[in-house]
Amino acid sequence: MISSVRGRLSVMMFLQYAIWGAWSPDFSAYLEKIGFGKDQSGWIFSLLPVGCMLAPVIGGQMADRYFSTEKLLAVLHLLGGGLLFWMAGTTGYSPMLVLMLAWSFVYAPTLALTNSICFHHMPEAEKEFGLVRVWGTIGWIVAGWLLSGVLRRLMPGLLGQLGGFDGLWLAGAFSIGLGLFSFALPHTPPAKKGANPWAFLAALRMLRDVQFAVFITIAFVVATELAFYYLLTAPFLYSKGVEGGQAPFWMTLAQIAEIGTMLALPWMLTRWGVRKTMFIGIIAWPVRYAVFAWGDPLGLVLASLALHGLCYVCFFTVSYIYVNQVAEADIKASAQGLITFVILGLGMFIGYWFAGYIGQLFTTEAAGGKVTDYTKVFSVPLVLTTICALVFLLSFRERALGKAQTQPAA
């Protein structure tokens, strides 16, 4: 593969996830600062999963039939940048909902399209994709450091004079940058195929297997609890004494650990197998939420952020590997669509709503303003993920699905 092509794809991945990493970590804290309740923040965050559920229709069909992928990426990110700039200065709840929904519809398809353009230009994708995709995680980290360590600490007036949320201004700049850079990506013409955008429904017959049904149910529940981390960690850290505006910096510990865990994943799978590796990923969730619920000392809370590497990679990343192992050849792509829909779509959508509801439920008015009892808040995902770990340990067995189990009954 030509190194310059891989270099361009690496820059693409860097910017793709820098957009997300610029606004997501402490956007909920900003929303609370301007008067939004945690339940309202939950609804706003839940709109990106809606976009993920509809992404096969929005982006996949357009790239397959009508437009070259790099030009579609350019248009979507340029539109997205404009929407992020608009949203940055918005303070009303209803306008924020509309703008976030519109941005989700243009950003969510690019998550799949950036993967697609990589696979199209990588003859040995199994060996090369990870080396490109890791730049997405690095982009998330750099966005957090740039926002907290440079713009907020060293140059607080640069974005501050624009008003609104500086994370969205930065995300918009990254989006415009990627939109322009997309014109320099390798040409990827439309495939001219009429693929069924809901083809993942064909994989539903895999649920007839008890082991797969247990797995998909646990994946759904754990995905709902992932939303507690993304929605509530920043305001929780600020309540524990983290310096204002510095949550994105500290939360990059999660992505740094994610890189380390990803590098160790081949060794873990070889030594422990899929079942044990996924169990380590599941049990890391209640451990982290137990530390959050306890809440002290701050150093322990910050250190527990690194557990995100085990939580995410050992369970969610390995979930995609497991699905690829057990699905028959003719439904592998459909099965991947199903697990993506369950985790990034439906699971996260319900999770954000649920996390916002629980956060608001345990928030009360006090003399100094609103106070949230985070011990009670994080006890909820602590209990639910502990139950998931026990059910998984007792019920799940690592084995391939047989042909008879994946075919409809005669």
Side-chain angles (χ1 to χ4, degrees):
M1 179 179 178
I2 301 174
S3 59
S4 63
V5 172
R6 194 168 82 180
R8 282 179 283 166
L9 296 177
S10 297
V11 172
M12 174 192 71
M13 282 295 186
F14 179 94
L15 294 171
Q16 175 72 29
Y17 288 90
I19 296 168
W20 200 347
W23 70 266
S24 178
D26 68 346
F27 186 41
S28 58
Y30 167 77
L31 293 176
E32 290 186 30
K33 182 180 178 181
I34 63 175
F36 288 17
K38 286 183 171 60
D39 53 343
Q40 292 177 312
S41 297
W43 280 114
I44 291 171
F45 270 72
S46 72
L47 296 176
L48 182 54
V50 172
C52 289
M53 286 189 278
L54 297 177
V57 177
I58 301 170
Q61 290 292 285
M62 294 177 70
D64 277 343
R65 294 186 177 188
Y66 306 114
F67 304 102
S68 61
T69 304
E70 77 280 3
K71 291 181 180 177
L72 182 57
L73 278 173
V75 171
L76 291 175
H77 279 300
L78 289 173
L79 286 174
L83 289 168
L84 288 166
F85 287 153
W86 192 354
M87 192 167 22
T90 300
T91 56
Y93 178 59
S94 295
M96 187 75 77
L97 279 176
V98 173
L99 289 171
M100 178 58 81
L101 182 62
W103 176 76
S104 298
F105 281 166
V106 299
Y107 180 77
T110 66
L111 294 169
L113 292 174
T114 48
N115 289 341
S116 175
I117 198 171
C118 286
F119 290 134
H120 184 87
H121 294 280
M122 288 181 176
E124 298 180 341
E126 296 82 0
K127 297 179 181 179
E128 297 177 297
F129 180 68
L131 299 175
V132 172
R133 175 58 183 84
V134 72
W135 284 98
T137 304
I138 294 172
W140 186 296
I141 293 171
V142 171
W145 288 357
L146 179 61
L147 184 63
S148 295
V150 178
L151 295 176
R152 289 178 176 173
R153 186 178 292 275
L154 301 180
M155 296 183 289
L158 185 62
L159 293 181
Q161 61 186 349
L162 296 174
F165 182 49
D166 52 2
L168 285 172
W169 287 113
L170 180 59
F174 279 132
S175 187
I176 295 295
L178 181 50
L180 296 174
F181 182 78
S182 293
F183 290 109
L185 291 173
H187 180 56
T188 311
K192 302 294 186 183
K193 294 186 296 186
N196 177 8
W198 301 108
F200 69 88
L201 295 176
L204 286 175
R205 65 178 183 264
M206 295 175 68
L207 294 173
R208 296 183 179 186
D209 179 84
V210 175
Q211 295 298 313
F212 190 79
V214 168
F215 158 74
I216 208 76
T217 301
I218 292 174
F220 168 75
V221 176
V222 173
T224 66
E225 306 318 292
L226 175 60
F228 277 82
Y229 174 79
Y230 286 130
L231 183 66
L232 300 175
T233 297
F236 165 65
L237 292 179
Y238 290 136
S239 75
K240 290 299 177 181
V242 168
E243 183 183 348
Q246 296 305 301
F249 173 82
W250 289 108
M251 289 176 70
T252 59
L253 287 172
Q255 279 66 48
I256 294 172
E258 184 180 325
I259 294 175
T261 308
M262 189 69 75
L263 294 174
L265 185 59
W267 178 86
M268 289 189 286
L269 288 173
T270 300
R271 186 176 181 87
W272 299 325
V274 168
R275 179 175 180 267
K276 291 181 180 178
T277 303
M278 280 203 289
F279 177 72
I280 290 172
I282 297 177
I283 202 65
W285 291 86
V287 172
R288 181 178 63 186
Y289 284 132
V291 174
F292 278 20
W294 186 259
D296 290 304
L298 178 59
L300 179 62
V301 172
L302 294 175
S304 72
L305 295 173
L307 286 171
H308 182 79
L310 292 175
C311 294
Y312 196 89
V313 175
C314 289
F315 185 73
F316 288 122
T317 301
V318 176
S319 292
Y320 289 101
I321 296 173
Y322 168 71
V323 168
N324 187 65
Q325 287 179 346
V326 300
E328 291 191 353
D330 62 334
I331 61 168
K332 284 186 181 292
S334 298
Q336 290 295 331
L338 174 62
I339 189 63
T340 300
F341 181 88
V342 168
I343 292 175
L344 296 181
L346 188 61
M348 292 296 288
F349 172 75
I350 294 178
Y352 279 127
W353 168 83
F354 182 56
Y357 169 78
I358 294 298
Q360 190 66 22
L361 181 65
F362 294 118
T363 298
T364 56
E365 294 286 347
K370 294 181 179 180
V371 176
T372 300
D373 187 337
Y374 283 105
T375 296
K376 292 180 179 178
V377 168
F378 289 117
S379 292
V380 174
L382 167 61
V383 171
L384 289 174
T385 51
T386 299
I387 293 172
C388 285
L390 291 174
V391 172
F392 183 87
L393 183 64
L394 297 174
S395 304
F396 182 80
R397 295 293 179 269
E398 182 181 345
R399 60 183 175 83
L401 297 175
K403 183 175 181 180
Q405 293 170 310
T406 60
Q407 295 296 331

